Amino acid sequence: MTQIGPAFVGIVLLMLGIMAILLAVLRLRSAKLRASQERMTFLALHDSLTGLPNRAHFNDKLDEALSTIRNASVAVLYLDLDRFKQVNDTLGHPVGDELMRQFTKRLKDIIDQKTFMARVGGDEFTIIVPNFGALSVLEALCEEIITVVRYPFDIDGNHIFIGVSIGVATAPLDGTAGDELVRKADIALYHAKTAGRSRFAVFGKEMDAMLQQRRAWERELRKAVKSETQIKVEYQPLYSAEDQRITGVEALLRWRHPERGWIAPEVFIPIAEDAGLIEALGERVLRQACAESRSWPIQTLAVNVSAVELRNPAYAMKVAKLLLAIGMDPRRLELEITESTLTDSAGHCEHNIRALRALGVTIALDDFGTGFSSLGRLQKLEVDRIKIDRSFVQGFGRSANDEDIVKAIVNLAHAKGLRTTAEGVETTEQSDYLRQIGCDDLQGFLLSRPMSPVGIERLLRVSGSLDPLFPTSHVKSGENP
């Protein structure tokens, strides 16, 4: 027995050790299984790139918030990044992914912990704001979001500018069902985007009717294009920042409806692009502007060109033929493009731009500083001028960094041999600062509003730029500029 006892104890201890190991293994496996299940649950309800809740999680959270609404209020903010797709197309998906993460971080830094933010699509986000109280609270939040997004994102040496548009719907005013609230926030978002970039809109009952109105506008625009009286061209002078001398004019498309009056370009230009009418409108404006300004003593005639027009492989040839037929020097024509024209995968835009520049036509990059602009990309752009967006100029004195941003754009543009024009100049303080930092040309209501061809001729005569013998056969007696 004395020999068996120690052996028995050893066997028991060994078995206990094995059992302990087995229990540890089982616990480890159980913990891993729980972690895996939790991870799968998290992934099922969250976006893998930003870590934000996804659409399914958002829908559940919204239904939960609406189920307990009673005497409280709930708001849905629908956010969409302006031209984010073009960041991916131009700078690559890794940059786009990092931009998305930085955008998410900025939003998290400013929204309240009570709010619920989700990523519901590629560049679409939603925010649930419970018990928001007054509508002014939502408006202030939207303004804050738009402001923080306007500052450039620094990614791999690229200073990227994007915008964000926001649609807002509230419960119980706009409904108490989740899908209804989201639909109305999406409608409000559409109206924010059609009104211009980096804006917000709160849903109103008239917005559903406005969608129907848009369809009616398309029908009316088709009639206007065929009309000889509805489509007009006005001209806004460009002034030298140094001596306030008129250096050129920009041709601006106008639509005067016989019943509704003037229709804003921000409204009908997107309709024209969607309806396939923009090329006909663009050719009309270019032909009329070249013919009317051919003898004006100006250095530059600027005309806007849409991405749709530039994607036509024959566009440069059409411009060349038009200039030849009218007898206008190509070096006096400046075509204004947006950066969306630079994301043409087929390369037609790039081909047209090169052909036009070889002809002598200059190219200006319009609305620089909005959308997906990148200061670093100026090194690669085949353009001759940068037009600084009016939103930065109008932010002077109100937004802490707008002056610095504009100064950086001017300095970098000059370093690359590009001229600069500031849009939206409305005060002498803005004009003085822009001249001080070396901006080349100014455009805005402080200097002159858009006017008819007759008005431009009279302005040139008053300023001493127009020879008294300049032909004025089409000037009507008593017509004001």
Side-chain angles (χ1 to χ4, degrees):
M1 292 293 294
T2 56
Q3 295 179 347
I4 295 175
F8 179 77
V9 172
I11 293 172
V12 171
L13 292 174
L14 178 61
M15 292 179 65
L16 290 173
I18 293 173
M19 290 177 65
I21 292 173
L22 289 173
L23 287 172
V25 171
L26 288 173
R27 287 198 185 103
L28 181 60
R29 287 184 177 178
S30 178
K32 287 184 176 180
L33 181 59
R34 283 197 304 272
S36 178
Q37 290 175 337
E38 290 174 357
R39 179 62 178 168
M40 291 177 65
T41 301
F42 180 86
L43 292 176
L45 297 175
H46 291 78
D47 168 52
S48 59
L49 177 63
T50 62
L52 291 175
N54 59 17
R55 184 181 292 273
H57 197 177
F58 164 77
N59 289 337
D60 291 342
K61 193 71 175 179
L62 180 58
D63 288 341
E64 178 185 335
L66 293 173
S67 68
T68 59
I69 189 170
R70 295 183 183 178
N71 297 325
S73 57
V74 174
V76 170
L77 277 58
Y78 208 126
L79 286 65
D80 182 87
L81 297 184
D82 298 324
R83 299 177 180 175
F84 173 75
K85 179 180 180 296
Q86 293 156 359
V87 174
N88 279 337
D89 293 343
T90 308
L91 301 177
H93 288 278
V95 172
D97 289 348
E98 179 58 25
L99 176 60
M100 196 67 68
R101 284 188 284 264
Q102 290 192 21
F103 170 80
T104 300
K105 183 180 183 304
R106 290 192 186 184
L107 257 61
K108 285 182 175 179
D109 288 343
I110 64 172
I111 64 172
D112 191 279
Q113 291 183 349
K114 296 179 181 179
T115 62
F116 181 87
M117 183 170 68
R119 183 188 180 198
V120 296
D123 60 349
E124 297 178 347
F125 295 77
T126 51
I127 298 176
I128 301 173
V129 184
N131 303 320
F132 59 84
L135 185 61
S136 59
V137 174
L138 298 178
E139 294 173 341
L141 176 59
C142 290
E143 291 283 8
E144 188 176 10
I145 292 172
I146 291 170
T147 298
V148 299
V149 175
R150 285 183 63 236
Y151 297 125
F153 292 81
D154 188 0
I155 303 174
D156 295 338
N158 294 298
H159 297 286
I160 302 171
F161 296 88
I162 63 169
V164 61
S165 300
I166 308 172
V168 182
T170 63
L173 179 63
D174 300 323
T176 55
D179 56 352
E180 180 183 15
L181 210 57
V182 171
R183 182 183 69 84
K184 291 181 176 178
D186 193 20
I187 291 175
L189 171 63
Y190 167 80
H191 283 270
K193 293 182 76 69
T194 55
R197 295 177 291 273
S198 296
R199 299 192 183 192
F200 73 90
V202 180
F203 179 82
K205 293 181 179 180
E206 75 283 356
M207 288 185 175
D208 272 326
M210 289 180 68
L211 286 178
Q212 299 299 323
Q213 182 66 64
R214 187 184 188 278
R215 297 186 179 97
W217 274 342
E218 180 178 331
R219 293 192 297 270
E220 295 296 324
L221 183 58
R222 290 186 183 278
K223 296 178 183 178
V225 172
K226 298 177 182 179
S227 167
E228 296 296 327
T229 59
Q230 294 189 41
I231 300 300
K232 307 285 186 180
V233 179
E234 291 189 341
Y235 301 89
Q236 186 170 25
L238 283 74
Y239 289 79
S240 166
E242 184 63 31
D243 56 17
Q244 303 290 296
R245 180 175 53 87
I246 297 176
T247 59
V249 296
E250 179 183 358
L252 301 171
L253 181 62
R254 296 289 186 257
W255 176 19
R256 185 168 189 173
H257 192 279
E259 298 174 359
R260 300 188 178 99
W262 293 107
I263 310 297
E266 293 81 4
V267 173
F268 73 83
I269 292 297
I271 295 174
E273 291 180 336
D274 293 342
L277 299 172
I278 194 65
E279 289 190 87
L281 282 173
E283 183 174 354
R284 174 186 288 196
V285 171
L286 182 61
R287 182 178 300 277
Q288 181 176 337
C290 289
E292 290 180 336
S293 68
R294 181 180 57 182
S295 301
W296 294 352
I298 55 175
Q299 299 173 14
T300 303
L301 166 67
V303 180
N304 290 275
V305 181
S306 77
V308 176
E309 293 177 272
L310 272 176
R311 292 190 186 111
N312 183 340
Y315 180 74
M317 183 62 68
K318 289 171 60 177
V319 173
K321 289 182 178 179
L322 186 150
L323 293 173
L324 181 63
I326 292 176
M328 179 172 173
D329 186 346
R331 292 171 296 183
R332 296 181 63 223
L333 177 62
E334 181 172 272
L335 297 178
E336 297 186 2
I337 67 173
T338 60
E339 285 189 278
S340 60
T341 62
L342 306 175
T343 61
D344 173 32
S345 58
H348 296 314
C349 292
E350 181 181 1
H351 170 77
N352 279 319
I353 290 173
R354 287 181 177 177
L356 289 164
R357 295 188 78 210
L359 187 66
V361 176
T362 56
I363 305 295
L365 193 59
D366 198 14
D367 296 337
F368 190 84
T370 63
F372 66 104
S373 305
S374 165
L375 295 178
R377 295 186 62 232
L378 284 179
Q379 302 181 33
K380 302 177 182 179
L381 298 179
E382 294 192 54
V383 299
D384 305 281
R385 182 190 297 270
I386 297 297
K387 297 197 72 176
I388 302 165
D389 187 70
R390 67 181 64 249
S391 63
F392 288 99
V393 176
Q394 293 173 354
F396 287 1
R398 297 194 299 267
S399 182
N401 292 344
D402 279 354
E403 288 90 342
D404 292 337
I405 291 173
V406 170
K407 185 176 181 180
I409 293 174
V410 170
N411 289 340
L412 187 53
H414 285 172
K416 302 303 175 186
L418 308 179
R419 293 184 64 82
T420 55
T421 297
E423 301 177 294
V425 181
E426 297 182 358
T427 68
T428 54
E429 290 78 11
Q430 293 168 353
S431 174
D432 291 343
Y433 178 76
L434 289 163
R435 182 174 61 253
Q436 176 187 338
I437 64 175
C439 186
D440 298 295
D441 296 293
L442 309 178
Q443 186 177 9
F445 288 174
L446 173 69
L447 304 161
S448 176
R449 292 176 177 269
M451 57 185 67
S452 68
V454 173
I456 286 291
E457 291 173 9
R458 289 182 173 178
L459 179 65
L460 290 170
R461 185 178 296 109
V462 170
S463 67
S465 300
L466 194 60
D467 191 291
L469 299 180
F470 185 85
T472 57
S473 59
H474 60 291
V475 176
K476 298 180 181 179
S477 176
E479 181 170 346
N480 293 323

